[in-house]
Amino acid sequence: MRFRKWLMKQQWRIVQIRGIWGLFYGILLLAITYFEYVPLFASMGALGPFAFSAALLVFFLVLGYLYDRVFIMWAPSQEVSMERNPYQYVPSPKDHIFWFPLYSSLLDMTEELARKYDVDTQYVKDARAYYARLQSLRPERNEDLDIAVKIRDEFIKSHRFVDDNGEQGHR
Amino acid sequence: MHCDTRRCAVVLVKKWIMKQYWRVGTIRSLLGLVLGMFVLGRKYYPYVPILADEGLIGALVLGTLLVFLFMGLGWLYDEKAKMWSQQVQATTERNAYQYVANYKTYAFNYPILYALLLVLNKTLTKLNLSTRAIPDSIAYMDIYFKRKLVKRDIFSALPAAKEYMKKHPFAQGADTAERPIGLRSRIKLGFQVQLLRLTWIQSLTGLLQDVLVFGALYVVLFVPESVTAATDTVPLEYLVLGILFISLPLFMVLASLGWIYDRRLRIWSPDMIVKFERNPYQYLPEPYLHIQLFPFYLALFSTIRQVFMEAGLDATSIDRVLAFLQEYSELDVARTEDMDKAKRLRKSLGVLFS
């Protein structure tokens, strides 16, 4: 296991450096293919591709600044990625193995305490019914993703923390 | 999974394809750097004075030197500079879902938080034990779950959380002042931010760059007479032809394939399933659970157990969950067989939410 971990550490390092290097590699390849057609850089001889690469790099960095600071493009970009992750809708192995047992116990205990003091436990019953449906959904079935979105939206719509009148626990 | 329908078989085939894709990707990431360096060595050795006249040997020497250079850089990046810390920081700060609830938070956390907070609030009110903490928390959650993926909501989330924590600190009198950050860390973070920005722009323009290079290189194959023998270069008019008739059509084809991949085949679903199934932390506790969640849940369940005993309620179910947490926390990602143990441990709890 220690050797395998060592090997994977080397892989991680290679992937990291390759990721960084890959950014410049593409630019260098583009520059060496096209620099001869750009008069300013074509006349520079051996320095031409490097100078063209540097110019492209500066251009990309300016674009990166606009992407990051001006247009905040990372937000919609992550939204697109998030939408395409089935485990955003249906339970992952971790949810089944760790989170659902905890959720189930927390709901049971809360219900028991509430019942002891004669408090309405409908909130717990609703949440339990919701999770019972959710845990039966599988990522392999595309229609399950649609069902997950439907039951999630229904729950949120009918169970709001604070309603329009400012009352807590509207149901 | 039961697979008795044609659609289910299609899903299995897609999953198989994605498994192969994952394997190829893993091997590619291992070999990609080496191959990339040799391609670069072949392209650039004529511009390196000592190696320019050495031909193939020059290309191989330059490629090998670059491989060692980048292996060394990898070691420095990891061991000396520990750049992975600022790398994750730069990425996390620019993760919109660190500020706004994602789909999973709505689907998985909203119902449990809703039920627990509201029932707890009612119970405490009934026992005349109500404090401002629970109603404030409910109001905070209401605002949190109403935030959308827009600039104003994203940038107001952290100040709102800090304001809430000032009002409800973990310990009274706790020092909540922010500690200054050193210059070295700031420089490292600045470097990682620039890299991240380049990554975004490369991912936006990468396909276009690839097809431009492809068009310029392959126009020679389709129009052999386009190469000027004297200079071994392609005249501009042929280059334009290469872009118009190779690069742009190829770009359109690849873009259409992307649409089919996303919309028609929905490959992202089996792709993610394969990745999740190959993540051991999907089955076993990760450091985050040991560091943050186990201490919290241990304290929570132990306290509730005391309350149950005081109230004369049966605490067997709490003992069961405490035993589950104890056993689960002892599982180790270093032992492959513990993944099966984790699955068996979950099954031993029987049907949930019944």
Side-chain angles (χ1 to χ4, degrees):
Chain A
M1 195 67 191
R2 290 184 77 172
F3 172 72
R4 283 192 285 166
K5 190 177 172 185
W6 176 86
L7 193 67
M8 288 301 103
K9 197 189 279 181
Q10 305 314 308
Q11 186 202 12
W12 183 89
R13 286 178 185 169
I14 287 175
V15 169
Q16 296 307 308
I17 293 302
R18 186 173 177 266
I20 297 172
W21 165 246
L23 300 172
F24 303 102
Y25 180 71
I27 294 173
L28 284 168
L29 214 55
L30 191 71
I32 203 163
T33 314
Y34 280 86
F35 87 99
E36 286 168 325
Y37 307 100
V38 185
L40 174 68
F41 301 111
S43 59
M44 286 184 179
L47 275 180
F50 297 102
F52 191 30
S53 300
L56 281 173
L57 182 65
V58 171
F59 176 65
F60 280 10
L61 282 173
V62 172
L63 281 182
Y65 174 83
L66 294 174
Y67 182 102
D68 180 17
R69 288 298 168 101
V70 180
F71 299 111
I72 321 280
M73 289 300 285
W74 38 269
S77 161
Q78 283 148 10
E79 190 177 12
V80 170
S81 305
M82 203 64 81
E83 279 172 354
R84 280 152 186 78
N85 178 352
Y87 294 112
Q88 287 292 320
Y89 310 102
V90 297
S92 66
K94 188 81 169 191
D95 295 315
H96 284 295
I97 289 172
F98 181 71
W99 289 110
F100 282 169
L102 281 195
Y103 286 2
S104 175
S105 300
L106 284 169
L107 288 174
D108 287 350
M109 287 182 294
T110 311
E111 186 177 33
E112 205 162 332
L113 267 180
R115 228 190 267 137
K116 165 90 181 171
Y117 297 107
D118 203 23
V119 172
D120 178 19
T121 58
Q122 192 56 45
Y123 298 127
V124 174
K125 286 191 175 78
D126 291 352
R128 193 181 285 133
Y130 172 82
Y131 285 116
R133 283 191 77 189
L134 188 66
Q135 71 171 352
S136 67
L137 303 177
R138 298 292 308 255
E140 287 91 347
R141 291 189 291 259
N142 278 341
E143 61 271 28
D144 277 15
L145 305 187
D146 300 327
I147 296 170
V149 172
K150 189 168 163 270
I151 64 168
R152 179 198 71 192
D153 290 348
E154 278 172 6
F155 187 91
I156 292 172
K157 203 174 164 191
S158 56
H159 298 79
R160 295 165 59 188
F161 278 103
V162 181
D163 69 10
D164 294 335
N165 302 319
E167 190 190 334
Q168 291 192 341
H170 173 79
R171 194 175 66 234
Chain B
M1 184 178 63
H2 298 291
C3 204
D4 50 0
T5 62
R6 191 172 155 267
R7 201 189 303 175
C8 202
V10 170
V11 169
L12 281 177
V13 170
K14 281 192 212 169
K15 193 175 162 184
W16 181 86
I17 292 170
M18 292 323 295
K19 199 186 286 178
Q20 308 314 310
Y21 172 71
W22 181 87
R23 287 174 182 167
V24 170
T26 306
I27 295 302
R28 185 177 174 265
S29 71
L30 275 170
L31 295 180
L33 180 77
V34 177
L35 293 176
M37 290 307 117
F38 283 110
V39 170
L40 205 72
R42 167 70 184 84
K43 277 277 178 190
Y44 273 81
Y45 84 93
Y47 302 98
V48 182
I50 308 166
L51 305 171
D53 301 325
E54 301 297 325
L56 178 64
I57 300 290
L60 290 176
V61 168
L62 184 58
T64 309
L65 285 175
L66 286 171
V67 169
F68 281 113
L69 173 71
F70 282 96
M71 290 288 280
L73 284 177
W75 179 79
L76 285 174
Y77 182 92
D78 179 20
E79 292 285 335
K80 286 288 165 194
K82 299 201 188 310
M83 291 296 284
W84 38 267
S85 176
Q86 279 78 19
Q87 182 191 16
V88 173
Q89 188 187 347
T91 312
T92 307
E93 282 176 353
R94 282 158 185 77
N95 178 355
Y97 293 107
Q98 290 288 328
Y99 308 96
V100 177
N102 63 23
Y103 299 113
K104 181 147 194 161
T105 313
Y106 282 111
F108 290 73
N109 300 345
Y110 185 101
I112 187 91
L113 288 172
Y114 179 84
L116 293 185
L117 284 174
L118 291 169
V119 173
L120 196 57
N121 192 30
K122 285 201 168 201
T123 309
L124 290 175
T125 307
K126 185 103 182 183
L127 296 171
N128 287 325
L129 293 171
S130 191
T131 65
R132 282 305 308 160
I134 301 290
D136 282 0
S137 178
I138 293 170
Y140 180 82
M141 286 299 156
D142 183 60
I143 295 169
Y144 173 70
F145 281 109
K146 276 180 183 160
R147 285 201 187 99
K148 302 283 176 222
L149 212 62
V150 293
K151 198 172 175 178
R152 194 183 56 187
D153 285 357
I154 289 170
F155 290 109
S156 68
L158 202 53
K162 284 181 179 168
E163 198 56 41
Y164 181 85
M165 289 310 292
K166 239 185 227 174
K167 199 173 167 191
H168 300 282
F170 281 114
Q172 289 302 327
D175 181 16
T176 53
E178 285 187 21
R179 290 160 54 211
I181 297 162
L183 182 64
R184 195 186 284 183
S185 296
R186 283 173 189 271
I187 292 171
K188 284 194 222 170
L189 182 62
F191 174 73
Q192 286 297 346
V193 167
Q194 298 309 322
L195 277 186
L196 189 61
R197 287 175 181 171
L198 270 182
T199 309
W200 288 330
I201 298 306
Q202 279 286 19
S203 72
L204 266 179
T205 61
L207 184 63
L208 190 62
Q209 289 182 43
D210 288 349
V211 295
L212 283 177
V213 171
F214 188 84
L217 293 177
Y218 276 75
V219 69
V220 180
L221 272 186
F222 295 106
V223 196
E225 65 274 19
S226 63
V227 183
T228 311
T231 57
D232 196 29
T233 55
V234 181
L236 184 61
E237 56 272 24
Y238 284 104
L239 182 79
V240 173
L241 281 179
I243 292 173
L244 286 178
F245 293 102
I246 300 174
S247 301
L248 291 183
L250 182 62
F251 183 80
M252 297 306 289
V253 168
L254 293 174
S256 307
L257 284 175
W259 181 85
I260 293 169
Y261 179 96
D262 174 25
R263 290 286 167 167
R264 303 292 297 176
L265 302 175
R266 293 175 82 159
I267 296 282
W268 43 267
S269 184
D271 178 33
M272 201 57 79
I273 294 169
V274 168
K275 280 181 187 148
F276 267 62
E277 283 178 355
R278 272 148 192 77
N279 178 358
Y281 291 117
Q282 279 296 321
Y283 309 96
L284 299 165
E286 63 269 48
Y288 165 69
L289 285 193
H290 287 289
I291 293 166
Q292 191 171 336
L293 294 183
F294 286 142
F296 168 74
Y297 280 108
L298 185 70
L300 179 73
F301 284 114
S302 300
T303 308
I304 297 174
R305 190 179 187 283
Q306 291 290 328
V307 175
F308 263 53
M309 302 297 271
E310 285 293 318
L313 291 167
D314 179 16
T316 315
S317 61
I318 303 177
D319 290 339
R320 203 166 62 123
V321 77
L322 279 168
F324 166 78
L325 280 177
Q326 179 64 42
E327 278 189 64
Y328 188 66
S329 69
E330 286 167 6
L331 300 178
D332 192 335
V333 75
R335 292 190 294 265
T336 312
E337 66 271 20
D338 277 11
M339 279 195 270
D340 288 328
K341 276 190 192 168
K343 289 178 202 166
R344 282 201 299 274
L345 193 60
R346 157 65 192 90
K347 278 182 188 160
S348 72
L349 294 172
V351 180
L352 302 174
F353 307 113
S354 56

